[in-house]
Amino acid sequence: MQETIARVRLEIEAYDLATAEQLDQFRIAYTGRKGQLADLFDQLKTVDPQDRRAVGQELNQLKQLALARFEERQQQLEAATANAPADPTFDYTLPTVPQALGTRHPLSLVREEIVRILARIGFNVAEGPEIEDDWHNFTALNFPENHPARDMQDTFFVKSEGLTPEGSEQDAKSPASYLLRTHTSPVQVRVMQAQQPPIRSIMPGRVYRNEAISARAHMMFHQVEALFIDENVSFADLKQTVYYFVQELFGAEVQVRFRPSFFPFTEPSAEIDITCLICKGKGCNICKGTGWVEIGGSGMVDPAVLEQSGIDPERYSGYAWGMGIERITMLKYQIKDLRLFTENDLRFLRQFESLI
Ligand code: DAH
């Protein structure tokens, strides 16, 4: 019996398992139900009882060896077939089916460019919620309650039972009212509440106004706010930063003009105009014959706003501006209808592919 075991072991060790057929024959001959190993186990009962244990052990080892060889080779063969071509006539030189890659939206491209330009001179990016409380959107920005200045921006109000304002100075007794932010300026307040000067932040984001949708107006659009607060900041700093920004974004030949204006949260305030890019300043119907187009509002942050946001107006001053990203994009790429940005017409969107 032990001799048979030794002979079978040599056979198993030497068995050629090159192909799947050989592997199958191996299984039938040795490990299968009617194979030699099963035979040997049957014969175990004929072995002298005192040797039976030792022979049984040897037999078990032999079985493990056979199973190990079988399984190892089986796995190798399976892995090889998985990697092999399913169809040997398949032509690997055929060109692939091109995968249609999406393109970035023009508003995203312009927003990213704005962020890059201002990051180069030390501005970081801050964000705030689109569902904002009345205090951050209006009161803290010096729009007194029930003041007509609130009508400058037609507001969507939000039903707000059960919501509690975060970081708002709202009187605890009167419930906070919520709205869709009408501008990105409330993020200025949030940044100042969270951090002491020096502050150099830009705040891009979506804003909402209750307006009928047309070629020139939408109920949802994007702005980017800039806020710079430190000791001894003056209007000259504001002008110089806007000059740099406009020239980086639109080109060195584009001029900037500040026009006196009013915003509740800045004093003094100015609107920012640039040379009309359509007629290059000669006057056309886009700039209504003036040669200038407005890109946003700006000013020195009102001391009352600094105070409401927890910053000492005796020690610090700063400037802010807010610009429309759609407006900038329309000027930069001569887009004439605001609705194109939200229609998702691929013929429009694909034109910006090459600008990435
Ligand atoms: N928030 C104003 C608007 O939406 C724009 C604006 C004007 C922002 C002056 C400013 C600013 O930061 O200083 O009409």
Side-chain angles (χ1 to χ4, degrees), residues 152-153 182-185 188 209 223 225-226 263 265-266 270 296-300 319-323:
M152 282 166 79
Q153 302 170 354
T182 56
H183 50 178
T184 42
S185 303
Q188 288 184 28
R209 289 188 198 175
Q223 290 187 332
E225 200 80 12
F263 298 102
F265 37 92
T266 43
S298 67
M300 301 306 292
Y319 66 76
W321 84 62
M323 292 177 186

Side-chain angles (χ1 to χ4, degrees), residues 13 93 96 105 124 135 146 187 205 229 231 241 281 284:
E13 279 168 353
T93 64
T96 56
H105 194 279
N124 60 17
W135 189 82
N146 304 318
V187 191
I229 313 278
E231 291 176 359
T241 316
C284 65

Side-chain angles (χ1 to χ4, degrees), residues 6-285:
R7 177 180 52 78
V8 174
R9 174 184 292 275
L10 289 177
E11 276 174 29
I12 286 177
E13 279 168 353
Y15 204 97
D16 183 8
L17 291 178
T19 66
E21 289 81 58
Q22 285 170 323
L23 187 67
D24 209 38
Q25 281 156 12
F26 177 85
R27 183 180 58 76
I28 295 167
Y30 298 103
T31 59
R33 226 159 20 94
K34 294 183 180 153
Q36 290 205 39
L37 289 171
D39 259 2
L40 287 168
F41 275 105
D42 268 351
Q43 290 171 30
L44 202 54
K45 47 187 179 289
T46 65
V47 174
D48 217 331
Q50 63 198 35
D51 299 333
R52 205 174 285 162
R53 192 181 153 84
V55 176
Q57 272 177 0
E58 249 180 87
L59 203 49
N60 263 322
Q61 279 167 7
L62 183 62
K63 185 178 164 189
Q64 296 311 324
L65 172 81
L67 286 177
R69 271 216 77 189
F70 178 80
E71 275 163 25
E72 185 192 10
R73 190 60 192 139
Q74 190 182 37
Q75 276 170 15
Q76 284 170 352
L77 286 171
E78 271 171 13
T81 32
N83 293 334
D87 173 5
T89 62
F90 184 81
D91 181 357
Y92 285 95
T93 64
L94 283 175
T96 56
V97 181
Q99 246 193 5
L101 268 188
T103 57
R104 269 183 290 177
H105 194 279
L107 293 175
S108 302
L109 292 172
V110 169
R111 187 199 59 225
E112 285 164 17
E113 193 171 346
I114 292 172
V115 169
R116 267 198 307 273
I117 291 171
L118 290 163
R120 286 207 288 274
I121 54 168
F123 284 81
N124 60 17
V125 176
E127 286 183 342
E130 289 176 29
I131 299 177
E132 187 53 282
D133 57 69
D134 182 284
W135 189 82
H136 283 95
N137 195 79
F138 289 125
T139 312
L141 290 167
N142 228 9
F143 288 83
E145 301 216 20
N146 304 318
H147 192 279
R150 292 192 181 214
D151 295 341
M152 282 166 79
Q153 302 170 354
D154 291 313
T155 309
F156 284 120
F157 292 94
V158 174
K159 275 199 185 152
S160 53
E161 291 107 60
L163 293 176
T164 23
E166 206 186 294
S168 154
E169 305 278 300
Q170 197 96 29
D171 180 350
K173 275 170 256 139
S174 65
S177 61
Y178 285 85
L179 39 82
L180 298 183
R181 66 180 179 196
T182 56
H183 50 178
T184 42
S185 303
V187 191
Q188 288 184 28
V189 178
R190 292 186 175 273
V191 168
M192 290 190 277
Q193 283 182 313
Q195 180 196 339
Q196 282 297 308
I199 294 172
R200 276 188 202 129
S201 292
I202 53 172
M203 300 146 243
R206 268 188 190 156
V207 302
Y208 301 84
R209 289 188 198 175
N210 190 359
E211 294 199 28
I213 295 172
S214 71
R216 303 172 59 93
H218 208 287
M219 40 66 69
M220 184 280 293
F221 55 100
H222 299 77
Q223 290 187 332
V224 58
E225 200 80 12
L227 179 69
F228 188 113
I229 313 278
D230 206 342
E231 291 176 359
N232 303 317
V233 179
S234 75
F235 206 93
D237 298 304
L238 167 62
K239 288 176 80 174
Q240 207 54 51
T241 316
V242 171
Y243 291 153
Y244 158 78
F245 172 71
V246 167
Q247 298 202 334
E248 290 293 306
L249 191 62
F250 292 106
E253 69 290 351
V254 176
Q255 293 197 311
V256 181
R257 149 178 115 167
F258 287 82
R259 198 160 28 80
S261 186
F262 169 77
F263 298 102
F265 37 92
T266 43
E267 183 59 37
S269 307
E271 258 152 306
I272 303 169
D273 294 345
I274 62 167
T275 317
C276 177
L277 298 168
I278 313 285
C279 61
K280 310 267 181 272
K282 288 191 203 74
C284 65
N285 59 351

